[in-house]
Amino acid sequence: MSEQGHCCSSERSTPRADKIKANMISRLNRVEGQVRGIRGMVEKDVYCDDILNQIAAVQSALNAVGKILLEGHMKSCVMERIQQGDNEVIDELLKTMNKLMK
């Protein structure tokens, strides 16, 4: 098993290495705190531009988590399914990437 883990396509789950999972959870915890901070800024009528800058920071942080997940997904789940002859995974990946790029 690679550091990224491996995909269990029949169960639709992906075991991840503890280090990678801890990294993503840490990043998501920071995002969660940032979102709570934005809510507080709105409640306090903070200047719009300051709130928009915080929203951009949250989007960037979520994109970073998405990149980690996408890399792991491509190196494990997608690769394994292609090797098993399941080419439908390419269409699934393309749909997901289109959603990420909106």
Side-chain angles (χ1 to χ4, degrees):
M1 179 166 71
S2 71
E3 186 176 314
Q4 295 290 329
H6 69 283
C7 182
C8 302
S9 59
S10 63
E11 297 175 16
R12 299 290 295 190
S13 67
T14 306
R16 293 175 183 85
D18 290 341
K19 181 180 174 183
I20 292 169
K21 189 184 295 190
N23 181 10
M24 287 193 299
I25 289 170
S26 174
R27 289 171 182 264
L28 290 169
N29 285 338
R30 282 195 299 272
V31 167
E32 186 178 9
Q34 287 175 299
V35 170
R36 282 194 305 270
I38 291 169
R39 184 185 63 222
M41 292 171 79
V42 170
E43 291 169 350
K44 294 174 185 170
D45 294 323
V46 171
Y47 185 60
C48 299
D49 192 57
D50 295 336
I51 296 171
L52 291 168
N53 284 322
Q54 287 303 307
I55 289 171
V58 168
Q59 289 171 329
S60 177
L62 281 174
N63 285 340
V65 174
K67 287 176 188 177
I68 293 167
L69 276 170
L70 182 59
E71 179 182 346
H73 183 56
M74 291 178 75
K75 288 182 176 180
S76 60
C77 303
V78 173
M79 190 78 115
E80 287 180 19
R81 287 177 61 185
I82 289 171
Q83 289 171 348
Q84 295 168 359
D86 181 1
N87 292 327
E88 290 178 19
V89 70
I90 298 298
D91 290 331
E92 178 184 283
L93 179 61
L94 289 171
K95 286 178 189 175
T96 299
M97 290 179 71
N98 282 328
K99 290 176 188 176
L100 285 171
M101 292 180 172
K102 281 187 177 183

